[in-house]
Amino acid sequence: MEQGTQWVKDFELGEPALVCRWRIAGGRLPLENRHLRALGARTVVGCPVSTQLLSWAKQHIEWTLTDGSAANPDGVLMLLMDAEGRAAMSVGPYEPLADTSANALARRAASSARERAQTGVAPETLWAAHDGALVWGVADGACAHGAASLVLDLASTLGIEVVRDAALLDAAASSDLSEQVFLCSDEHGVVPAAGASDATVQRLSAGYQKLLDHERAQR
């Protein structure tokens, strides 16, 4: 049986054990290869995502975008997978974050860190600019989600050092880091904290926005 409720009539997806939300632009998925690599590093109920699921996802991304992005060309592609390894994919509208305070972004990253404990990859992480370097709020060995891999490459291109420090979440929750903190999210991209003025944070946010604009221009 082929996986996916949109193409198979005789099966219903069970309780989702994995949910991925990936931003699209102009009916395209800008970070497709990065998201698929991160998907391959995930686990579902303790088992690695299968190569069959990865092949299915890669095949159906284009189909799903073709069928579902007409109403939401700048929306979100959502992939759901249950404990049995069955999956479904759909497109929905994008809703910007209502609260982008440093504390709110830290709470989102903390919730995502709990998801990483279950699936192996966090879809959102907290970052900060500090002394000319970037501090990534994860422990050593943590796998990069799709948007994080983009920030890592942008930082490398700009010659910016990246240091991992899981304590960043606690620091952001207990002090005012709003001028230098941003959320990196597979759904929301690079989101500077409200009031962020650090030049590096703004350059990274602009770099992500430029990527979205490029995809829209190709439509």
Side-chain angles (χ1 to χ4, degrees):
M1 177 186 296
E2 185 179 7
Q3 297 171 315
T5 54
Q6 292 172 297
W7 302 275
V8 180
K9 302 295 186 181
D10 58 349
F11 113 90
E12 293 184 1
L13 193 71
E15 183 70 21
L18 175 66
V19 179
C20 296
R21 297 178 62 86
W22 300 331
R23 183 75 179 276
I24 63 175
R28 299 165 179 261
L29 182 62
L31 304 182
E32 178 176 341
N33 290 335
R34 297 175 186 273
H35 290 317
L36 288 174
R37 282 197 297 270
L39 178 61
R42 284 178 164 90
T43 60
V44 176
V45 195
C47 297
V49 170
S50 68
T51 54
Q52 291 85 352
L53 186 281
L54 288 173
S55 296
W56 174 89
K58 186 171 184 178
Q59 181 182 48
H60 284 83
I61 284 173
E62 182 177 356
W63 296 354
T64 304
L65 291 178
T66 299
D67 292 340
S69 68
N72 297 287
D74 299 314
V76 175
L77 178 68
M78 185 164 64
L79 169 68
L80 300 93
M81 184 175 176
D82 68 13
E84 301 301 319
R86 298 171 298 189
M89 192 179 286
S90 64
V91 173
Y94 170 71
E95 296 184 7
L97 292 176
D99 186 352
T100 61
S101 66
N103 191 266
L105 299 185
R107 288 197 301 271
R108 290 188 66 93
S111 176
S112 188
R114 291 190 288 273
E115 180 176 336
R116 179 173 61 237
Q118 296 178 330
T119 68
V121 179
E124 297 183 332
T125 48
L126 193 70
W127 298 63
H130 182 67
D131 289 341
L134 286 176
V135 181
W136 185 16
V138 299
D140 289 340
C143 181
H145 54 102
S149 72
L150 174 66
V151 171
L152 289 171
D153 284 349
L154 287 174
S156 178
T157 298
L158 296 171
I160 301 172
E161 179 186 10
V162 176
V163 179
R164 299 181 183 220
D165 185 357
L168 177 63
L169 290 176
D170 293 334
S174 62
S175 63
D176 182 12
L177 297 175
S178 59
E179 293 184 356
Q180 58 195 33
V181 167
F182 66 94
L183 183 75
C184 180
S185 166
D186 287 346
E187 179 177 2
H188 300 286
V190 177
V191 185
S197 58
D198 183 90
T200 298
V201 175
Q202 295 302 323
R203 289 179 73 183
L204 292 171
S205 178
Y208 178 79
Q209 188 59 48
K210 184 177 181 179
L211 176 64
L212 298 186
D213 292 342
H214 174 76
E215 293 298 325
R216 295 187 183 107
Q218 305 304 309
R219 187 171 175 82

